[in-house]
Amino acid sequence: MASYNFLEPYTFANGATVRNRIVMPPMTECSAFENGVVSNDEIAYYRKRAGGVGLEITGCANVSELGKGFEGELAVTEDRDIPQLAHLAAAIKSRGAKAILQIFDAGRMTTSAILRGEQPVSASAVKALRENSETPRALSEDEVEAIIKDFGAATKRAIQAGFDGVEIHGANTYLIQQFFSPHSNRRRDQWGGSLDQRMNFPLGVVEEVRRVVKENAPQSFLVGYRISPEEIETPGIRIADTLALVPKLIESGIDYLHISLKQVWQTSANDETDTEPLVEKIQKVVAHKVPLIVVGQIVKPADAEKVIDAGFEFAALGQELIREPNWVQKVMADDEATIRYELSPSDLDELNINPPLWDFLNSGFKKTIHFSHD
Ligand SMILES: Cc1cc2nc3c(=O)[nH]c(=O)nc-3n(C[C@H](O)[C@H](O)[C@H](O)COP(=O)(O)O)c2cc1C
């Protein structure tokens, strides 16, 4: 049998043990019902990919109605969502992976079409720098507090549905990041202004989620947090801001930190003279106080091994697990030669890939999903 270090189990400080260091990161697959209830197609999609990985994190699930970012996205806004979420958690766990629900709010990164006529909301009324973005409405202080409570209520539903944990989506330009960013947050109340005050919303969400977990979940329930280390906007989040936030997140009691990058070893997009990978800068601050998940074009077994050998606890393989659900099993069986590194249209049924996900991959991930030409 293969003897990679990434096949070793890992035990979190709260006692939760996972069978290996390979993670399926959150990937929206656009196949929930229009109201956000999990479809049976999605359950089949996740079950298919849960047979080898240690942790399987679902695509983002919106915690509030105005937080929906995509058509076909999972919702965790109402108790109505719990029964199908419970089937999803059970399907993932039945194949030996830990089931983690990613909880999120899109903020300004949505449209009034997706919100069925409602205006998107954010920290401030500042448009995102992308084509066709809409100017959001600034949330009132009461609404900010209500969204923090929504993250707590979503966590309670995840616990009731039998998930092993939640991942707070603080990355990829969505609402939590929008509060941390000086680009999207121009507030002058307690939720904005100084760097410290821009941390109040992210830390408020973690505090509320931890409170709900403490009251309702078993000791081994995991609370993860996903960050994007930098933004390219000016003003925008710089790595120094992130290195100030990370210790506060750790103090607030997260169980793991997940660093979202397009390429795991990428260096600063804002300072070309700095050659140290962003993940290494963060690792120095984290210093193993919590485990780190890193992601971004980790595709081959050697790529994952390099990550573990560099001292990171977990390697997440996104698009590769879309292409090859049995990646871990093939590695363990010394069958690396049959690992698929391309996505063929003729495999879509076998891979449980629905037309909306196929369209999403075609529109947003053409350069990295590696379509085959058959
Ligand atoms: C189809 C697709 C959907 C995604 N949806 C989410 C999501 O819901 N939440 C999130 O945090 N990241 C999302 N991502 C980003 C991935 O989690 C991951 O960070 C990214 O794909 C880079 O990893 P990779 O190179 O291994 O694919 C998505 C990526 C893809 C390809």
Side-chain angles (χ1 to χ4, degrees):
M1 188 181 123
S3 66
Y4 289 106
N5 291 323
F6 64 70
L7 294 174
E8 290 297 315
Y10 181 84
T11 300
F12 288 84
N14 71 0
T17 297
V18 288
R19 63 184 163 191
N20 61 48
R21 314 304 187 84
I22 301 298
V23 174
M24 177 158 144
M27 288 183 289
T28 298
E29 22 59 74
C30 317
S31 299
F33 290 104
E34 194 182 345
N35 61 3
V37 168
V38 178
S39 67
N40 290 346
D41 283 1
E42 286 178 301
I43 293 173
Y45 173 91
Y46 284 106
R47 182 188 289 115
K48 179 124 213 156
R49 290 166 177 77
V53 297
L55 288 174
E56 189 172 45
I57 307 168
T58 69
C60 58
N62 54 293
V63 302
S64 63
E65 291 300 335
L66 290 179
K68 180 171 175 170
F70 308 90
E71 300 294 354
E73 174 180 296
L74 301 172
V76 58
T77 52
E78 292 183 40
D79 290 350
R80 162 208 75 191
D81 303 323
I82 296 173
Q84 279 293 88
L85 285 168
H87 287 305
L88 175 58
I92 295 172
K93 287 158 61 165
S94 73
R95 301 203 63 210
K98 294 263 180 233
I100 309 289
L101 185 73
Q102 190 185 49
I103 52 176
F104 116 127
D105 187 305
R108 69 180 182 176
M109 296 299 280
T110 186
T111 64
S112 49
I114 290 170
L115 300 182
R116 306 296 181 261
E118 297 284 337
Q119 185 182 7
V121 293
S122 185
S124 300
V126 179
K127 265 164 83 133
L129 298 184
R130 63 167 181 171
E131 259 178 59
N132 302 324
S133 69
E134 296 177 22
T135 304
R137 168 174 76 72
L139 289 159
S140 70
E141 288 204 58
D142 285 351
E143 286 176 311
V144 174
E145 276 160 28
I147 293 175
I148 291 178
K149 292 271 178 227
D150 288 339
F151 274 96
T155 302
K156 183 147 183 211
R157 293 186 187 105
I159 296 165
Q160 288 170 323
F163 278 89
D164 298 302
V166 290
E167 178 174 284
I168 299 167
H169 195 350
N172 300 0
T173 73
Y174 297 112
L175 186 70
I176 296 179
Q177 182 176 330
Q178 288 160 34
F179 268 90
F180 186 48
S181 164
H183 185 268
S184 35
N185 187 346
R186 313 280 171 104
R187 300 177 78 102
R188 286 291 172 266
D189 59 11
Q190 59 168 315
W191 304 109
S194 64
L195 173 64
D196 274 351
Q197 275 170 279
R198 282 186 278 108
M199 292 183 194
N200 282 343
F201 184 75
L203 295 174
V205 170
V206 178
E207 192 185 328
E208 173 65 3
V209 166
R210 290 260 16 128
R211 185 189 67 75
V212 169
V213 167
K214 206 166 167 210
E215 281 175 15
N216 300 281
Q219 169 76 20
S220 60
F221 191 87
L222 297 168
V223 176
Y225 190 97
R226 195 167 215 218
I227 49 163
S228 291
E230 292 189 319
E231 289 177 341
I232 47 172
E233 289 88 354
T234 303
I237 297 169
R238 296 294 178 263
I239 185 65
D241 302 328
T242 296
L243 297 179
L245 174 64
V246 164
K248 302 252 168 91
L249 290 170
I250 296 172
E251 274 166 37
S252 71
I254 58 168
D255 297 295
Y256 71 80
L257 187 70
H258 188 168
I259 308 169
S260 179
L261 288 169
K262 288 208 166 101
Q263 213 293 331
V264 59
W265 301 111
Q266 78 192 53
T267 53
S268 174
N270 294 299
D271 180 358
E272 281 175 11
T273 63
D274 190 339
T275 54
E276 184 178 34
L278 295 167
V279 288
E280 288 186 351
K281 289 181 187 295
I282 295 172
Q283 189 182 36
K284 279 186 190 156
V285 170
V286 173
H288 305 285
K289 291 189 200 89
V290 294
L292 281 169
I293 301 177
V294 296
V295 71
Q297 290 175 37
I298 302 171
V299 173
K300 301 207 161 154
D303 302 335
E305 196 66 351
K306 185 173 167 191
V307 160
I308 304 303
D309 287 350
F312 298 96
E313 285 79 4
F314 292 99
L317 284 68
Q319 290 161 91
E320 178 54 14
L321 284 166
I322 297 180
R323 298 183 285 254
E324 180 53 86
N326 295 325
W327 192 94
V328 174
Q329 296 94 314
K330 287 184 175 180
V331 170
M332 289 176 74
D334 281 325
D335 190 17
E336 288 181 30
T338 69
I339 293 178
R340 282 172 279 198
Y341 294 115
E342 291 189 330
L343 184 58
S344 162
S346 56
D347 288 348
L348 296 189
D349 283 348
E350 185 236 311
L351 294 173
N352 296 95
I353 293 177
N354 269 337
L357 175 56
W358 180 246
D359 287 348
F360 195 50
L361 292 170
N362 264 292
S363 60
F365 297 91
K366 224 172 185 152
K367 286 199 185 125
T368 48
I369 191 67
H370 304 151
F371 291 114
S372 72
H373 297 290
D374 58 348

